[in-house]
Amino acid sequence: DAMVIQNPRYQVTQFGKPVTLSCSQTLNHNVMYWYQQKSSQAPKLLFHYYDKDFNNEADTPDNFQSRRPNTSFCFLDIRSPGLGDAAMYLCATSKQGDSQPQHFGDGTRLSIL
Amino acid sequence: AQSVAQPEDQVNVAEGNPLTVKCTYSVSGNPYLFWYVQYPNRGLQFLLKYITGDNLVKGSYGFEAEFNKSQTSFHLKKPSALVSDSALYFCAVRDDSNFNKFYFGSGTKLNVKP
């Protein structure tokens, strides 16, 4: 089945140690998103790609970066994780078009020691 | 600016009873509205959408939603709740000016008791 896959599902890192989360998709969607979700709150959009066009949210900390080397893959890099960055990180995709919903992966739960 | 509001943090309903999860929206143009469900430690799953057409939209798992333009609402409904419907539900609206952006409500936790 076509899907959005996030690896790993659980990630533990140390305070200040860089970490990379990955997302891949088999849907061939041209838009990919990264969201941060804390404690059953609404997902907070960090950034999204429309093809290779990167769109950063104004309130996304500089500590968060992203790469999209090709259509299928997208990475979230956290350069110096702080305790406040512990959260669920959700990757999503959508197909360009006004009627298209987003398709979400199952997330990576990040813990900071 | 676009936004959605979910006025209830939690909804409790007995199994077999009808359920409603409320959502109101604010948009400057035509509303493109979505409902998602999230189970623990899972991503959001798409349930249904309203783009245009019939005000009653049918979706996955027996859910439906009623679009009401005069009340700017898009409430999620199900005639007979199941215990397995217990989850977190999010309403979302698409951005008018940037079709690739979506705004989510704060979420409503649905508890269905046997």
Side-chain angles (χ1 to χ4, degrees):
Chain A
D1 287 340
M3 55 179 55
V4 181
I5 301 168
Q6 291 189 243
N7 284 307
R9 291 292 317 279
Y10 300 89
Q11 175 75 57
V12 180
T13 191
Q14 292 179 335
F15 182 93
K17 184 174 182 180
V19 64
T20 295
L21 310 182
S22 70
C23 176
S24 64
Q25 56 132 340
T26 59
L27 296 160
N28 203 33
H29 286 171
N30 49 5
V31 190
M32 292 188 79
Y33 308 79
W34 280 106
Y35 288 89
Q36 180 191 64
Q37 186 182 30
K38 294 185 176 183
S39 302
S40 299
Q41 297 174 16
K44 178 182 181 301
L45 182 63
L46 296 173
F47 21 62
H48 74 278
Y49 280 92
Y50 173 38
D51 290 327
K52 292 190 175 183
D53 183 23
F54 178 69
N55 298 270
N56 198 27
E57 293 301 296
D59 59 352
T60 297
D62 292 340
N63 199 24
F64 291 86
Q65 305 285 320
S66 184
R67 297 170 283 136
R68 189 180 186 187
N70 54 52
T71 300
S72 301
F73 286 87
C74 196
F75 300 97
L76 170 62
D77 301 309
I78 308 177
R79 291 191 296 187
S80 183
L83 296 179
D85 296 329
M88 173 76 92
Y89 290 88
L90 296 168
C91 174
T93 71
S94 73
K95 188 175 180 181
Q96 171 72 7
D98 54 17
S99 66
Q100 302 303 316
Q102 293 176 298
H103 296 254
F104 285 81
D106 278 336
T108 294
R109 184 167 295 282
L110 179 66
S111 300
I112 314 293
L113 299 180
Chain B
Q2 288 68 230
S3 67
V4 290
Q6 295 180 242
E8 301 158 317
D9 290 338
Q10 186 167 297
V11 169
N12 298 311
V13 64
E15 187 175 32
N17 284 0
L19 69 87
T20 299
V21 182
K22 296 180 180 177
C23 173
T24 58
Y25 65 88
S26 174
V27 299
S28 51
N30 293 322
Y32 293 81
L33 297 159
F34 304 81
W35 274 104
Y36 293 85
V37 61
Q38 186 177 30
Y39 296 97
N41 292 314
R42 302 294 300 274
L44 280 67
Q45 296 178 38
F46 169 68
L47 282 178
L48 50 78
K49 65 184 179 185
Y50 174 83
I51 304 302
T52 187
D54 290 341
N55 289 341
L56 186 64
V57 179
K58 293 191 182 296
S60 306
Y61 311 121
F63 283 93
E64 57 191 26
E66 187 172 7
F67 173 72
N68 188 316
K69 187 173 183 178
S70 62
Q71 297 185 7
T72 62
S73 66
F74 187 55
H75 300 334
L76 182 70
K77 299 183 179 186
K78 189 173 182 181
S80 179
L82 300 172
V83 172
S84 57
D85 293 330
S86 299
L88 191 56
Y89 291 80
F90 289 100
C91 182
V93 66
R94 196 211 68 188
D95 190 310
D96 266 359
S97 57
N98 183 340
F99 291 177
N100 294 324
K101 287 184 68 171
F102 298 80
Y103 298 94
F104 287 87
S106 54
T108 298
K109 188 170 189 297
L110 174 66
N111 296 311
V112 181
K113 298 183 179 179

